Amino acid sequence: MNIKLKEILLNSIQEYNKYLENKIENYYNHPGYSLRVRQMHTLVECLSEHFDFDEINLIETGVSGCLDYGLFGLFFAHVVDQYDGQMHSVDLNYESCLSSENIFKSELPNLTYKTYCQDSVEFLKNPPIIPNIIHLDSYDFQLFNPFPSALHVWKEFKAIEHLMPKGSIIIIDDNWKQDTILQWIQNEEETWNKIIYPIIGKGSHLYQEALEGNIEWELIGNHYDSCDNIKIVLKKK
């Protein structure tokens, strides 16, 4: 186990909470943010057990520039800042990129961090760094049209995976296993939907390919039976 990294990961959760509790009223009662903290603890276990590099070079697709979306990247930024390395984020929305840079530079002035306003698939074909961690979260998932986001993540994966060294980690957001009851709000109408497929979400195709041994990446972590929004975590063999 990487004890140093585990301590940094746990401390980064505290720093993330400290920032958001000053920005969000009744922060600790908000289900969206409690979910993200649970996801962070999943990554504490996965990364401290499986990440063996001396520095973190991290790419995030879909910048963390809006409180409404949870600022998950701020957690990663704290980890990189304390562990050593650099972080780069890509997004099509210029305002989101600008907001992310302003937040990160204000909170972590010594962090090597940069945003890029362009298509994430094209960006990953010629990245500014060779990453050993990637967080894929650039295409909004739609429950009643789930295929575009899953296809986009697959294209991101194919663009970058051959460049990443053995032992690298890929993390994919927004996935739900079979029998999960998912609340969905669309056009101001709220519905509750039971997931009937083995898995649905941004990383569903990658999950199945890894499970069947069709790619040089393995699933890590023991969190996949949760009836919750889960992050798929893969390690390069």
Side-chain angles (χ1 to χ4, degrees), residues 43-62:
L43 296 181
V44 170
E45 299 308 313
C46 289
L47 295 177
S48 61
E49 289 285 347
H50 293 277
F51 188 82
D52 298 321
F53 297 88
D54 293 330
E55 64 178 19
I56 295 175
N57 292 311
L58 189 147
I59 289 178
E60 170 193 52
T61 68

Side-chain angles (χ1 to χ4, degrees), residues 207-215:
Y207 178 89
Q208 294 290 355
E209 290 293 284
L211 201 63
E212 295 171 12
N214 296 330
I215 55 178

Side-chain angles (χ1 to χ4, degrees), residues 168-180:
S168 294
I169 302 292
I170 291 179
I171 304 160
I172 308 108
D173 195 30
D174 292 336
N175 305 277
W176 295 265
K177 292 294 295 294
Q178 191 171 34
D179 295 329
T180 299

Side-chain angles (χ1 to χ4, degrees), residues 26-159:
N26 296 320
Y27 165 66
Y28 290 104
N29 294 321
H30 194 293
Y33 294 102
S34 60
L35 163 65
R36 291 180 180 95
V37 171
R38 291 197 299 275
Q39 292 175 332
M40 290 173 197
H41 280 285
T42 292
L43 296 181
V44 170
E45 299 308 313
C46 289
L47 295 177
S48 61
E49 289 285 347
H50 293 277
F51 188 82
D52 298 321
F53 297 88
D54 293 330
E55 64 178 19
I56 295 175
N57 292 311
L58 189 147
I59 289 178
E60 170 193 52
T61 68
V63 300
S64 298
C66 177
L67 281 172
D68 291 340
Y69 294 130
L71 291 180
F72 201 94
L74 185 61
F75 161 71
F76 286 125
H78 276 286
V79 175
V80 175
D81 187 57
Q82 296 173 65
Y83 192 77
D84 197 18
Q86 54 185 299
M87 180 174 175
H88 298 255
S89 301
V90 59
D91 200 291
L92 284 173
N93 188 300
Y94 174 77
E95 294 299 326
S96 294
C97 289
L98 185 61
S99 174
S100 182
E101 286 212 1
N102 289 337
I103 291 170
F104 285 27
K105 294 298 184 183
S106 174
E107 289 300 299
L108 300 163
N110 296 321
L111 174 68
T112 300
Y113 177 72
K114 187 175 180 180
T115 63
Y116 305 79
C117 187
Q118 66 181 99
D119 175 75
S120 61
V121 175
E122 294 304 313
F123 173 82
L124 291 173
K125 291 178 180 177
N126 186 28
I129 58 171
I130 301 300
N132 50 30
I133 298 180
I134 285 190
H135 183 229
L136 300 179
D137 188 23
S138 64
Y139 198 113
D140 286 344
F141 170 81
Q142 296 294 323
L143 178 61
F144 302 113
N145 186 22
F147 303 110
S149 63
L151 177 60
H152 185 77
V153 163
W154 177 253
K155 289 179 178 178
E156 289 178 327
F157 169 76
K158 295 302 290 182

